[in-house]
Amino acid sequence: MAEALFSEFQAAAREQWLEAVVRSLGGEAFDSLLTQTYEGIEIHPLPHADDLAEIYHHRSLPGQFPYVRGSKAAGYRARPWLIAAELDIGNPREFNQALREALAQGQTAITMNRGLQLNDAADMRAALADIELDRFPLLIQSETRAPEMHLWMRVALADETLKSLRGCVGYDPLSALARSGAMPRDAVERLAAHVRTVQAASPQLGSIAVSTAVYHDAGANAVQELALAIAAGLSYLRTLNDRGFSIESISTKLHFFLSIGENFFLEIAKFRAFRSLWAQVLRALGLADAERRLRVHARSGSRNKSCLDAHVNLLRLTTEALSAAIGGVDSIELAPFDQPQGKTDKFSRRLSRNLQLILQEELRLIQLIDPAGGAPHVEKLTDRLARAAWSRFQAIEAAGGLVASLRSGAIQAEIEEVAARRRLDLAKGDAVLVGVNRYVDSDFGRTPLPYDANRQPAAEATGLPPLTGIRLAEPYETRGAEAEKGS
């Protein structure tokens, strides 16, 4: 059919396309169209099938090593990604009411963030009352409280319900170390005890989490995020293996919580590259059936969200969810668009949920298997990201591993360097946040003043320097508010 359709057209070689582009530039060199990402990857504006010649993974099939094209041969046709949504509600009973409504309206997984005020088993019982926990997986990442949360579940829930729990109640002390500069002295012992306890009471439930939110929200690029994710995962495997756990048993309890960034194609490539990287690690450790151990939960990031013209955040969430879905993740969690303003409501939470439902039910992404497969631009990005992230991971390993690299401050310095470039690009207008530094809606009554590119966050005086989350729009919002007060 395709041959008949195009038979009347003369085939054009790549060189002819390049010549046509150069003519259209009016004397400018073709290289003027090349751009660099924050990862140091050069973006070619005219991708071509020839780019795939040296990329070995594109010849694999979905469900085959290295799993770039998905860990399941049938993709989302076998199982659609799980729809999670952040419920920014503190009271356990109010949380429960909102959760029951959300599950009835299409949400398919349960998350609990740090804002939920859980203090004992009674609070946990109230939060999960009348929820069909055998139907809806839990997707919980906690830097410090996962052991307590599962303890309260053991008190609040019947044994049969505990055994039916799926998903993850993941303890992640390394994220706590990166975020606060400190980690409980007994963190390793607590982690080992948590893994044993969860395995005994809830054998289908994951117990170890690796989150990249602390790095992503501080400004990390995709290469850094991938390298740090596999470094953290390997650190947990080694630590628990040293305490008597087999690598095989631990690997099935590990869930990755990766943040979603703003660069659409790069994010698709990031999720695809991650599967190949972690599969390589598992194969090196002697695990053949890596596809059973690739669990990726995607969360919307916060660094590109704004209080100004907050509905634009909804558009950002749309592209982020789409990139994660095309990237083949197992579940997606979107924060409400008005979260930067400090308080969400039923309307904004509903939109975040319905956004994913539209991608599944109306756009019908769940009918496709690896929709990005074979696209030269995405495949080339995937390959370059994976190679760069593996090199960065090897450098972390050579420096003594993730903990040593955090304690030295090397990781924090590298991420701050990228964050500074992001801030500077916004200040110069080389990067755009719609409604913040360009295309500002005057109906909001303020025009943000230019951001001072020399402004830097205060550095820690002593101890391990923590990573601090940024919102790139915040300086513009603050200065806009100051200007409004002075007018």
Side-chain angles (χ1 to χ4, degrees):
M1 177 67 181
E3 293 179 0
L5 180 64
F6 292 104
S7 60
E8 62 185 284
F9 297 99
Q10 183 178 357
R14 187 177 195 180
E15 290 71 22
Q16 292 175 284
W17 280 102
L18 293 174
E19 290 173 5
V21 171
V22 171
R23 286 196 303 270
S24 71
L25 291 176
E28 291 285 335
F30 180 83
D31 288 353
S32 65
L33 297 179
L34 302 180
T35 56
Q36 288 262 343
T37 71
Y38 289 110
E39 293 74 17
I41 295 174
E42 190 174 73
I43 301 298
H44 196 288
L46 193 64
H48 192 271
D50 291 349
D51 296 333
L52 302 177
E54 297 180 1
I55 300 175
Y56 81 96
H57 74 248
H58 90 279
R59 291 186 284 273
S60 66
L61 295 173
Q64 291 182 356
F65 185 88
Y67 307 109
V68 170
R69 304 195 61 193
S71 58
K72 297 181 288 293
Y76 290 138
R77 292 182 69 90
R79 188 184 71 182
W81 75 83
L82 295 171
I83 297 175
E86 189 170 309
L87 301 178
D88 193 15
I89 300 173
N91 182 280
R93 287 178 174 77
E94 293 177 5
F95 171 89
N96 175 260
Q97 180 178 350
L99 177 60
R100 285 189 285 115
E101 291 175 358
L103 294 174
Q105 294 297 320
Q107 185 171 318
T108 55
I110 301 168
T111 61
M112 295 180 175
N113 65 16
R114 286 180 294 175
L116 180 58
Q117 298 164 8
L118 297 174
N119 297 304
D120 51 33
D123 287 340
M124 182 64 75
R125 185 180 293 109
L128 297 178
D130 300 319
I131 302 295
E132 296 178 84
L133 294 172
D134 57 338
R135 285 186 56 198
F136 303 108
L138 298 167
L139 295 171
I140 299 169
Q141 177 267 340
S142 175
E143 295 175 1
T144 57
R145 303 187 72 196
E148 285 81 10
M149 293 178 77
H150 192 258
L151 169 63
W152 298 331
M153 289 179 188
R154 298 199 305 275
V155 175
L157 304 175
D159 289 346
E160 199 62 35
T161 302
L162 281 170
K163 285 184 171 58
S164 71
L165 293 181
R166 292 173 294 122
C168 182
V169 179
Y171 187 32
D172 188 11
L174 289 177
S175 283
L177 177 66
R179 188 183 304 278
S180 67
M183 186 168 63
R185 291 183 179 180
D186 63 345
V188 172
E189 288 71 23
R190 281 168 56 82
L191 177 62
H194 179 59
V195 172
R196 289 192 183 95
T197 301
V198 172
Q199 174 60 32
S202 309
Q204 301 181 78
L205 192 65
S207 50
I208 314 162
V210 171
S211 172
T212 62
V214 62
Y215 310 111
H216 177 95
D217 289 340
N221 63 36
V223 167
Q224 293 167 330
E225 190 175 345
L226 288 171
L228 292 165
I230 59 175
L234 183 57
S235 178
Y236 285 136
L237 293 183
R238 284 175 173 162
T239 297
L240 291 168
N241 186 234
D242 289 343
R243 279 154 182 78
F245 294 88
S246 70
I247 294 292
E248 184 172 5
S249 66
I250 308 165
S251 63
T252 62
K253 302 303 177 184
L254 194 66
H255 282 60
F256 289 88
F257 292 71
L258 305 186
S259 294
I260 318 172
E262 56 284 336
N263 189 320
F264 179 72
F265 289 108
L266 195 69
E267 292 302 301
I268 296 173
K270 181 179 78 177
F271 292 113
R272 300 173 90 242
F274 172 77
R275 287 193 296 274
S276 72
L277 291 169
W278 190 240
Q280 295 280 6
V281 170
L282 295 179
R283 173 170 281 194
L285 294 172
L287 301 178
D289 56 343
E291 73 278 2
R292 293 197 304 109
R293 309 163 203 277
L294 291 166
R295 298 180 179 87
V296 181
H297 176 65
R299 287 171 156 173
S300 57
S302 62
R303 70 187 181 206
N304 65 333
K305 307 304 187 297
S306 174
C307 293
L308 299 176
D309 201 0
H311 284 87
V312 178
N313 293 333
L314 190 63
L315 307 179
R316 297 184 177 111
L317 291 168
T318 301
T319 64
E320 290 168 10
L322 184 58
S323 64
I326 294 176
V329 301
D330 299 295
S331 50
I332 300 175
E333 176 183 356
L334 301 179
F337 73 86
D338 54 355
Q339 189 178 64
Q341 296 178 335
K343 187 177 181 181
T344 66
D345 58 22
K346 185 175 181 179
F347 172 73
S348 61
R349 294 192 294 269
R350 177 179 175 81
L351 288 183
S352 289
R353 180 177 66 250
N354 282 357
L355 190 158
Q356 294 196 57
L357 288 169
I358 287 173
L359 295 182
Q360 287 193 356
E361 303 293 344
E362 296 188 27
L363 195 57
R364 299 194 177 186
L365 277 181
I366 56 176
Q367 298 297 315
L368 305 176
I369 302 174
D370 186 28
H377 181 51
V378 175
E379 296 287 20
K380 192 172 182 178
L381 273 179
T382 301
D383 182 68
R384 290 190 173 185
L385 268 183
R387 292 178 185 275
W390 189 259
S391 295
R392 185 68 198 96
F393 161 67
Q394 289 178 314
I396 293 172
E397 287 289 286
L402 179 59
V403 173
S405 295
L406 283 170
R407 293 196 186 283
S408 72
I411 288 174
Q412 294 90 323
E414 290 179 7
I415 291 176
E416 173 52 34
E417 182 180 349
V418 178
R421 287 174 53 205
R422 295 184 190 277
R423 291 190 289 262
L424 181 60
D425 285 348
L426 279 179
K428 292 164 57 179
D430 293 339
V432 175
L433 269 181
V434 175
V436 176
N437 72 330
R438 200 178 298 178
Y439 313 116
V440 179
D441 190 340
S442 59
D443 288 343
F444 283 90
R446 68 174 67 160
T447 300
L449 298 178
Y451 172 51
D452 180 2
N454 295 317
R455 176 179 175 268
Q456 297 291 335
E460 284 290 302
T462 60
L464 189 156
L467 283 166
T468 304
I470 61 173
R471 272 198 314 105
L472 293 167
E474 190 170 13
Y476 297 82
E477 297 162 354
T478 303
R479 289 168 181 252
E482 291 172 353
E484 189 176 77
K485 289 179 182 178
S487 61

